[in-house]
Structure formats: structure tokens, C-alpha cells
Amino acid sequence: MIIVMESRATDEDVQTVLDAINGAGLQPHVSRGVERTIIGVIGDERLIRRERFALLPRVENVIPILKPFKLASREFKRENTVVDVANVRIGGKAVAVIAGPCSVESEEQVFATAERVKAAGAHLLRGGAYKPRTSPYAFQGLGVDGLKILGRVRDATGLGIVTEVMESAEAEIVAEYADMLQVGARNMHNSKLLRALARINKPVLLKRNFSATFNEFLMSAEYLLSGGNSRVVLCERGIRTFVEYTRNTLDLNVIPAVHEVSHLPIIVDPSHGTGRHELVLPMSLAALGAGADGLIVEVHPEPAQALSDGEQSITPDEFDQLMSRVRTLAAALGRA
Ligand code: PEP
Ligand code: MN
């Protein structure tokens, strides 16, 4: 439930409510807006009696949240959440663009890609050092050596780094090199990993599992928020359908749907969403048209030589064209 304080409520009034919530064995989450303080009450709903809080001083209203996700809901927080990652704000007027190879393969490969995507206007560099692969025989990533390459490229180019964490035990080491921690589609349901990342002071890019329903997607975000990490960016990367001419089906419906019920930003991955490099540009534009807060795109200097996801990687030249079209569309949409 949500407790809305009167605009004249003092810090002491808010504290009285927080004490009552803690006293009932529940967790308060305070959101101080310009006009009012709103307190989310999280915990076992059976322990919550509205009257217990409604009669406290300067409580204006006590409202149940009907959705299964609470902290992620717009009922809890009306204004859009803007997540700062290195030099970019995700969720504001600007379209945030993350670009780079699927996997970190070598220092030369990452440098070459980073310089080109930076020159084209990308804000953050992506690249996996730990790779979740379908086959145990496929390239699994360079691990810590890959993280070190990303660290050196960040120092040299100033681009913030987005990279995947596959398990809790590796969260600390990945966080040393990453500006944003990626939870891959396969791990969206891994609540232990989500809980571990909630305790790390880094923004999280949460990718939707290919079979996750809308509520399951937002409930995974709820794990991060309820664990204390409010810097969450959602990512639609395609779902499994009967369609076989693309690797996945990009579910663009989810963008306006998330914006309606949640305050969290959502970006789109047209690379995994399509699996085909020639579809990346049109689906990037479609994503922006649907209101995406940004894009994450796989770029490789030589896609044919890529150790993973070459078929869906675009070249730096193609990325230049993509950015030029994105700029034109963003301007037409009143975005930056
Ligand atoms: C990736 O970003 O390279 C990746 C593995 O993505 P996903 O988890 O969405 O499949
Ligand atoms: Mn990939």
C-alpha cells in the first residue's frame, strides 16, 4: 500500500509513520516528491491494516496497490525515473544509445569498435566478458581478462561500460569495471542474482527473458527495487514466438505498456530482438517511435569474424547511418 502524507507534514510526522511501519514488521520506502512525501509499504499484505496508518497525524490517504509489483509501479512513483550511468541519463528527454560488440574478443577489437561508436555519438560501450551461450562448446567470454580490456578502453575513451554479470559470485569483480551491470535474458528469473545486484551500488540493465510475461518482467525489477537498488533500466530484447524468420520477435507493445504502469525507463535491443543485421536499423526506429528511452546495439568491426552474434552485428559504417537516422527521428519526436 501507499501512504500519502499531507503537504504540510513535517519530518517528525513522516518518522511517526516509518516507526509504525517498522513496528508492524514491514518495510517502508520513502519517496520525497516536490509537493508531497509518499511512503510505500512493502511486506506481507496480510499484516497490513489500512486503519493502522490512516489515523496517524498528517496522513492524507492510504491507498492499496493492486498490481503485484509495488515499488516499480506508477502508483508508487508518478514521475519517470531517470537513471544516471557515467555521462548519460536514461529515462529523460535524450535517447540513450549503448553500442559495442556482443563479446569482448581482444583489445584491438574493443578499441576499434569503441572509437567508432563514440565518434558516431553512442553514450555507453557494451561488450560481454562473461557470455551465456546456448552451446557449451561455443566461446564463453574472456572473463576477468575481458573486464580488464573494458577497463582500459573506458580509461582511453571515456565511454561508460555496460557488461553482463552471470552469477552472484562474480558481481563484485564485474562491478569494479562496469558502470552498468547487465542481467541477461537467461538470468532475468534468477532471484538470487537479482538480490545480490540489489546490494551493489551500480545501475542495472535488466533484460527481459524470452518467455517472460509482462508481470514477470516487472516482478524481476521489483526484486532489485525492494532489495535497495532503485537504478533499474528495463530492456526488451525479443521474445519466443512461432515466427522463425527472425531469432526472436521484438515485442514493441511492451514499451508503451511499461510506461503506462511503471516509472522505470525501458530501452530496446534490436540486435537480439531480430537476430538479423539488416533489421537492426528499421527496428531501432520503430522502437523510438514506440517511445523507447534508448537502444542497445551490437556493433563489430568485422561481423563475419565475430566469436558471437555476428549475423546480428552491424558494422561501424552501418552504425553511423543508424545514428544519423536516429537523430532525425529523435528531433521529429521532440527528443534529443
Ligand atoms: C547479449 O547482450 O549479448 C546477450 C547475451 O543478450 P540476451 O541476454 O538478451 O540474450
Ligand atoms: Mn549478443
Side-chain angles (χ1 to χ4, degrees):
M1 71 175 57
I2 297 173
I3 302 176
V4 184
M5 300 300 293
E6 291 178 13
S7 53
R8 62 193 173 118
T10 62
D11 286 349
E12 215 175 299
D13 296 326
V14 172
Q15 194 54 50
T16 305
V17 174
L18 297 182
D19 291 344
I21 295 168
N22 287 317
L26 302 162
Q27 289 91 49
H29 286 262
V30 182
S31 162
R32 284 180 208 275
V34 193
E35 287 192 8
R36 286 168 203 281
T37 297
I38 293 179
I39 305 166
V41 185
I42 303 300
D44 185 346
E45 312 252 328
R46 290 165 305 177
L47 300 175
I48 306 178
R49 271 184 47 247
R50 189 182 174 280
E51 299 70 34
R52 185 163 192 162
F53 307 110
L55 301 174
L56 294 173
R58 308 232 158 86
V59 166
E60 184 170 284
N61 206 353
V62 178
I63 312 161
I65 305 180
L66 301 173
K67 308 241 168 22
F69 43 91
K70 313 289 178 191
L71 301 175
S73 73
R74 252 206 211 280
E75 292 157 291
F76 174 63
K77 181 166 179 273
R78 210 171 317 168
E79 320 85 63
N80 290 338
T81 286
V82 178
V83 178
D84 286 305
V85 186
N87 302 322
V88 67
R89 319 198 74 202
I90 308 180
K93 193 173 176 219
V95 174
V97 181
I98 306 169
C102 176
S103 300
V104 173
E105 298 170 8
S106 69
E107 187 136 357
E108 301 69 52
Q109 170 237 16
V110 181
F111 255 114
T113 315
E115 281 180 340
R116 288 292 306 269
V117 300
K118 183 182 178 190
H123 305 99
L124 298 168
L125 179 69
R126 64 148 289 148
Y130 296 92
K131 295 303 301 177
R133 304 302 302 280
T134 304
S135 164
Y137 309 118
F139 176 62
Q140 306 283 311
L142 296 180
V144 177
D145 290 341
L147 294 176
K148 288 181 180 162
I149 291 174
L150 289 171
R152 289 195 286 276
V153 174
R154 175 179 46 191
D155 293 345
T157 61
L159 282 173
I161 303 292
V162 182
T163 195
E164 176 159 356
V165 189
M166 284 178 61
E167 56 171 311
S168 325
E170 285 159 358
E172 297 278 347
I173 181 81
V174 177
E176 261 180 53
Y177 296 91
D179 295 280
M180 180 175 228
L181 302 169
Q182 174 173 325
V183 175
R186 289 156 192 79
N187 264 322
M188 187 212 84
H189 290 295
N190 183 343
S191 51
K192 283 211 171 152
L193 177 63
L194 297 172
R195 281 206 197 281
L197 299 188
R199 291 190 295 268
I200 289 185
N201 186 21
K202 280 279 155 90
V204 174
L205 181 65
L206 177 64
K207 298 188 93 175
R208 181 186 185 183
N209 180 264
F210 22 76
S211 65
T213 66
F214 184 69
N215 277 354
E216 285 167 348
F217 190 19
L218 285 160
M219 288 309 275
S220 288
E222 191 79 9
Y223 264 97
L224 293 162
L225 299 173
S226 65
N229 191 342
S230 54
R231 295 191 288 166
V232 177
V233 175
L234 303 171
C235 179
E236 162 61 28
R237 47 77 74 211
I239 53 172
R240 281 268 162 90
T241 66
F242 59 86
V243 167
E244 82 305 320
Y245 73 99
T246 49
R247 179 177 179 183
N248 291 289
T249 297
L250 199 56
D251 177 17
L252 295 181
N253 299 343
V254 83
I255 300 162
V258 162
H259 283 149
E260 190 183 326
V261 303
S262 176
H263 52 86
L264 294 174
I266 178 162
I267 69 167
V268 167
D269 176 346
S271 308
H272 293 86
T274 63
R276 290 172 54 165
H277 64 94
E278 70 276 22
L279 298 186
V280 170
L281 167 55
M283 295 316 286
S284 295
L285 301 179
L288 292 191
D293 294 294
L295 300 167
I296 178 165
V297 179
E298 288 187 338
V299 181
H300 195 287
E302 282 180 282
Q305 305 303 322
L307 296 182
S308 60
D309 289 351
E311 332 75 70
Q312 67 194 35
S313 298
I314 60 173
T315 63
D317 285 348
E318 287 166 340
F319 185 69
D320 287 343
Q321 289 161 26
L322 183 147
M323 287 301 280
S324 141
R325 298 288 298 277
V326 161
R327 277 201 184 84
T328 308
L329 180 59
L333 293 168
R335 308 277 307 273

